[in-house]
Amino acid sequence: MRIIEVNLDKDPYKVLYTDIQQGIQTIQPESIDGSKIAIISDEDAANNNLDSLRKALNSYKIQTIEIILSPGEKNKELMVVESIIDKLLSKKFERGDLIIGLGGGVIGDLSGFVAGVVHRGVKFINIPTTLLAQVDSSIGGKTGVNTKYGKNLIGCFKQPELVVCDINSLSTLPKRDLLAGYSELVKHALIGDAELFNFLQNNVKNIFNDYTILQEAIHRSALVKADIIMEDIHEKNIRAQLNLGHTYGHAIESFYKYDGRLLHGEAISIGIIMAFKTSLRLGLCMSDHLHIVEDHFNKVGLLTSLKNLNGEKISPEKIIDLMRSDKKVTNGSINLVLPREIGSVEIRNDVDENIILDVLHETLSH
Ligand SMILES: NC(=O)c1ccc[n+]([C@@H]2O[C@H](COP(=O)([O-])OP(=O)(O)OC[C@H]3O[C@@H](n4cnc5c(N)ncnc54)[C@H](O)[C@@H]3O)[C@@H](O)[C@H]2O)c1
């Protein structure tokens, strides 16, 4: 079993790459102090994985509460948080009890947030069932919900006790979601592991068909994230590198109101390309790097630019407005993570807005 040890001073935990049953059975019964486990999931993740989790929990002889939502980003809302907490409290869920999130990044962010606030914090285990969640959102403890002012503007840091990543759960994931997760996997390579990017280039044809290759890529990509958060858990400095592609990406995503027309990861591949184009205009990176990454995204089928989606004309001026309201703005300046080359980035908050607008005009109208 592959393991990543996330060695935080406070709240260290392990990320296990194994099947759900084996992963859950690493929990020592005596470490469960409460009398209930709440499983929070969505229908798609539950249909394909809940039975394995139920079997794994059987041996603990503990009462379980199952809360299964309909899928979608719309779940990341305070009203949904309140309704989950109501349900938990009505079932006498207590301070020592445990929450397990079973699903993609939406369920992880939502259930982690509930675990962070109910009774001022209860134990939390994350079982990520999408590629995006296995390489990215399940590690690092960021949880939260969206507001009409932007994504993830309400939330807390809540580290899990354990993360169990079962690659087999990806076999039922729609190709579109698999690809969306792949953009975050590549993002980690672009930030800090040029060799991983070479590995992805060499295996681009088989990456989604051969689970030995995909597992290797997931593990190495997750390691980049784990290494960064171990250095800077609260995003005081280098953790912000993980936002490569996100200032542009979040703004485009929020333009489409999270209604499924554009997935988070799809917005991120476009955002990464925009970050490269910004770097190029600033003379920070070479055009070869932009073209290599663009070509890689095209080969796997990820978006690199955006025309109108379903007839809604996307306006660069509106996008720059949304970028100004992103939580990554400090003192009114837009923070951008900009590539220097493949495997290295820098954080800048001094980019002329005319350059950003120029990049938006070029990328959104092609
Ligand atoms: N906390 C963080 O650090 C962090 C990092 C990156 C992204 N995120 C967040 O993650 C979210 C996106 O996550 P996502 O892409 O996993 O989306 P998601 O959770 O919506 O999952 C995508 C779809 O796949 C379905 N699904 C999940 N597991 C499945 C399975 N095994 N088989 C079949 N279908 C399955 C879901 O029901 C959903 O319809 C966004 O809200 C984003 O903001 C958080």
Side-chain angles (χ1 to χ4, degrees), residues 258-303:
Y258 320 113
D259 62 4
R261 278 180 288 175
L262 192 70
L263 301 179
H264 175 73
E266 292 172 331
I268 296 313
S269 62
I270 302 170
I272 290 174
I273 295 304
M274 286 180 171
F276 269 96
K277 286 180 174 172
T278 314
S279 276
L280 195 58
R281 280 165 171 76
L282 294 171
L284 277 179
C285 81
M286 294 188 307
S287 59
D288 284 5
H289 296 138
L290 164 66
H291 296 138
I292 289 170
V293 176
E294 217 166 15
D295 182 56
H296 188 82
F297 282 166
N298 284 328
K299 275 191 184 130
V300 291
L302 270 167
L303 296 173

Side-chain angles (χ1 to χ4, degrees), residues 62 88-89 115 140 147 149 162 240 283 299 301 317 346 359:
I62 194 163
L88 293 177
L89 298 180
T147 74
Y149 298 102
L162 175 72
K299 275 191 184 130
E317 288 72 21
E346 67 181 58
V359 168

